[in-house]
Amino acid sequence: MEVKGNVTIGTYNENPITVVTQNNTKVNVQPQMGVNPSDSTEPKSNSTVDSRPVYFNKDAVAKVDLCRVIMSLREAGAFIDGAGQKSRQKDVFAAFSKILNTDLSNYDKALSEGRKKKLPITVFDNLENAFKQYESDKE
């Protein structure tokens, strides 16, 4: 394969890439994160941030309510896949399972039970109130 001109190489991290040219010359390339617009949805590595694990607090919010919030965001189109399409439910919940270190693989069962038991849907009012409190604290 022969490549002429500029080449954009997308990576998921900031590790350098070694490119071997046609005449076997090795060139080290430092990728530029977010250069390719088609990769704009990919997470960017930020090694300078001191991040700690995040856990779901089941004592503060019921799992069914967490599932309702995630599903509502998904249905509103907040999450897309690599092709720019609405993400599949199972992919969204798998991602949140990783982020929150909790098992959400039974999200459909939790939502179904909430519907069958006619559990009140107060989570959105609670979120609105919590955000209003946050905003008033900033004033």
Side-chain angles (χ1 to χ4, degrees), residues 115-126:
R115 219 174 7 261
K116 286 178 187 174
K117 293 179 180 178
K118 299 191 187 296
L119 296 176
I121 303 174
T122 59
V123 64
F124 300 104
D125 292 332
N126 296 343

Side-chain angles (χ1 to χ4, degrees), residues 14-129:
E14 297 171 352
N15 294 331
I17 299 169
T18 301
V19 177
V20 180
T21 63
Q22 191 173 7
N23 61 2
N24 289 328
T25 304
K26 289 186 178 181
V27 179
N28 287 320
V29 178
Q30 183 66 40
Q32 296 177 359
M33 300 302 291
V35 169
N36 187 347
S38 66
D39 291 340
S40 63
T41 60
E42 297 300 333
K44 296 179 185 176
S45 173
N46 189 348
S47 57
T48 62
V49 174
D50 177 27
S51 64
R52 297 181 184 122
V54 176
Y55 298 92
F56 171 60
N57 183 357
K58 64 183 177 187
D59 296 331
V61 177
K63 193 175 270 192
V64 67
D65 287 335
L66 175 63
C67 291
R68 287 171 172 162
V69 170
I70 295 169
M71 185 61 78
S72 296
L73 287 168
R74 189 251 175 206
E75 290 300 310
F79 312 114
I80 57 173
D81 62 19
Q85 302 299 312
K86 185 189 283 188
S87 292
R88 298 181 309 174
Q89 291 177 6
K90 70 179 187 174
D91 296 333
V92 171
F93 281 91
F96 274 94
S97 289
K98 278 185 180 178
I99 293 168
L100 299 174
N101 294 294
T102 193
D103 181 16
L104 296 175
S105 61
N106 61 348
Y107 67 91
D108 51 345
K109 182 179 177 186
L111 292 170
S112 177
E113 286 179 10
R115 219 174 7 261
K116 286 178 187 174
K117 293 179 180 178
K118 299 191 187 296
L119 296 176
I121 303 174
T122 59
V123 64
F124 300 104
D125 292 332
N126 296 343
L127 289 173
E128 181 181 18
N129 292 334

Side-chain angles (χ1 to χ4, degrees), residues 127-138:
L127 289 173
E128 181 181 18
N129 292 334
F131 189 75
K132 285 179 179 176
Q133 183 63 48
Y134 164 81
E135 287 288 304
S136 71
D137 291 346
K138 295 293 178 186

